[in-house]
């Protein structure tokens, strides 16, 4: 079932931040970004586009290092 996006009446395209959700991959955000981790540590990236890890396998968490690719490939080979 596909859900329709809700929009606030006061929201405008100019003020909105775009987020791209990729299947079996990272969350892509326009940079720069500041991420506050659960332990209170603040991580900053000044890149044009930032890939945030969603699988938690990254060695450089919260940034994606493509660790999800190795895991996904191994999963498909065992089927």
């Amino acid at each position: 079932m596909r859900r329709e996006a809700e929009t606030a009446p006061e929201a405008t395209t100019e003020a909105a931040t775009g987020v791209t959700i990729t299947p079996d991959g990272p969350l892509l955000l326009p940079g720069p970004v500041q991420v506050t981790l659960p332990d209170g540590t603040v991580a900053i990236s000044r890149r044009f586009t930032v890939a945030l890890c969603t699988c938690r396998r990254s060695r450089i968490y919260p940034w994606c290092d493509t660790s999800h690719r190795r895991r996904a490939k191994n999963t498909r080979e065992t089927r």
Side-chain angles (χ1 to χ4, degrees):
M1 184 169 115
R2 186 177 174 100
R3 294 174 36 184
E4 294 298 320
E6 295 180 21
T7 58
E10 66 278 356
T12 64
T13 306
E14 294 175 39
T17 298
V19 176
T20 303
I21 299 172
T22 57
D24 299 324
L27 185 65
L28 301 176
L29 300 164
V33 298
Q34 176 177 311
V35 178
T36 303
L37 300 172
D39 66 358
T41 304
V42 176
I44 298 172
S45 175
R46 301 189 192 294
R47 300 181 130 225
F48 181 75
T49 299
V50 178
L52 289 179
C53 176
T54 57
C55 71
R56 302 198 56 110
R57 293 184 196 109
S58 175
R59 290 188 181 118
I60 57 170
Y61 187 82
W63 320 120
C64 178
D65 69 359
T66 68
S67 292
H68 61 276
R69 290 182 187 168
R70 290 185 293 277
R71 176 70 175 213
K73 184 177 180 181
N74 291 338
T75 303
R76 288 185 203 126
E77 289 176 0
T78 60
R79 289 184 184 178

